[in-house]
Amino acid sequence: MAQSRAKYAMDVSRRYPLLAAGGRGKQAALWRTRDFEGFSRFPLVIKSLPPALAEDRAARAMFCQEAEVLSCNGQAWGPRLYDRHTQIKYPFFVREYSAGIAFAHLGKNVARKQQLMWLADVAQALSSLHAGGWVHGDIKPANIICGSHGQARLVDFGSAYRRFDMALDVTPWRGWQVPLSGSVAYQPPADTAGGAASYDTRRDLYALAVIVHEVCTGRHPFRNGREPELQAPLGVSKVLWRRVLAALTLDPAVRRNGAVWLMG
């Protein structure tokens, strides 16, 4: 048994050699790789669950769910899934590498118009993702990659989950069904309305609206006890700003109209 495990590990490392570190967090490790046995030679990323979490059922379930989300993607909203082995002791999957720079690392010399165009790409991506029945769950500047080809894409679907509101105008509280994660600064407030909104598409739309507010005003809408700017900043469409404010208040109408409407 030990010999077979060692041979399997050797076969995997031969096919997907770890070429460069791509990042490491509490939930997973990423490495740049290529498929040296397949026909594809484009850059790939291998994502693995750390050995310390291999026996953690919740962590393992979320890791496998991320691979499931990527398997549904036709390159419309994020990287394509290339290969996966999630039923083994130490699960991993291989996905397409998303070249570009994270939205969080854009310099101040990037025009606001260009940033809003990239966020419109994110809205298109979210529209496709939501239509497929998924919520990203961790929309933030670090998870938006602005590609050299001029289009922005989403990455890191480790917090994604099935949406519960496919045919509902009001989402019931179902907090016992999904362990939520994500970045606090871009999550809806944890009150009664925010609790329900955390489980439908408003979670993603709220986060997108926070980023738009940051781009247009230079600050987070709620940090340090402050409130969103009620008047559209100079040069920003009043229609866009009304929709951003609606998303920040978790208005159910925003969910019905969707991400493209928000950025339209």
Side-chain angles (χ1 to χ4, degrees):
M1 181 67 71
Q3 287 183 339
S4 63
R5 286 199 299 267
K7 182 179 184 302
Y8 177 79
M10 186 177 297
D11 290 342
V12 170
S13 63
R14 184 182 298 118
R15 179 171 183 180
Y16 300 116
L18 306 182
L19 302 178
R24 181 180 296 270
K26 293 181 180 179
Q27 300 296 324
L30 286 80
W31 295 82
R32 295 279 301 275
T33 186
R34 288 181 184 271
D35 183 357
F36 280 82
E37 291 187 4
F39 293 102
S40 297
R41 290 291 184 266
F42 55 82
L44 300 167
V45 170
I46 184 168
K47 188 170 186 176
S48 62
L49 192 66
L53 294 177
E55 303 298 328
D56 185 317
R57 297 180 68 178
R60 192 180 183 98
M62 291 186 70
F63 184 85
C64 294
Q65 183 158 275
E66 180 176 5
E68 179 64 25
V69 176
L70 294 178
S71 72
C72 300
N73 178 32
Q75 210 177 3
W77 36 257
R80 294 172 296 178
L81 183 71
Y82 185 78
D83 192 8
R84 62 174 158 176
H85 296 266
T86 53
Q87 303 303 315
I88 59 178
K89 184 175 182 179
Y90 301 117
F92 72 92
F93 62 81
V94 183
R95 65 164 174 81
E96 177 186 17
Y97 172 69
S98 296
I101 184 172
F103 197 88
H105 298 152
L106 294 177
K108 293 184 178 180
N109 59 336
V110 178
R112 181 172 65 188
K113 181 179 179 181
Q114 178 60 64
Q115 293 184 60
L116 291 177
M117 288 176 63
W118 277 324
L119 293 179
D121 291 339
V122 173
Q124 290 283 353
L126 286 176
S127 180
S128 298
L129 184 66
H130 294 164
W134 295 96
V135 174
H136 184 280
D138 194 19
I139 298 297
K140 60 183 179 181
N143 287 339
I144 299 170
I145 300 298
C146 305
S148 55
H149 46 72
Q151 188 174 24
R153 303 177 76 190
L154 292 172
V155 295
D156 195 353
F157 292 81
S159 299
Y161 55 87
R162 279 289 183 185
R163 55 184 290 198
F164 297 129
D165 63 319
M166 293 295 289
L168 301 174
D169 281 338
V170 178
T171 302
W173 175 247
R174 302 179 72 170
W176 63 87
Q177 294 190 350
V178 177
L180 289 181
S181 60
S183 303
V184 175
Y186 298 94
Q187 292 179 17
D191 56 18
T192 303
S198 292
Y199 287 86
D200 62 39
T201 58
R202 283 177 293 174
R203 180 181 177 88
D204 289 343
L205 302 177
Y206 173 90
L208 179 58
V210 169
I211 299 173
V212 174
H213 191 283
E214 290 178 327
V215 167
C216 295
T217 68
R219 69 171 181 89
H220 189 282
F222 299 109
R223 188 163 290 153
N224 299 323
R226 301 182 69 176
E227 295 292 329
E229 296 289 343
L230 298 181
Q231 300 298 322
L234 185 65
V236 176
S237 162
K238 292 182 179 180
V239 173
L240 169 63
W241 205 247
R242 283 198 300 269
R243 295 175 180 180
V244 166
L245 293 177
L248 292 175
T249 60
L250 304 173
D251 187 338
V254 176
R255 177 182 59 191
R256 291 193 293 270
N257 290 314
V260 174
W261 172 85
L262 171 61
M263 290 301 299

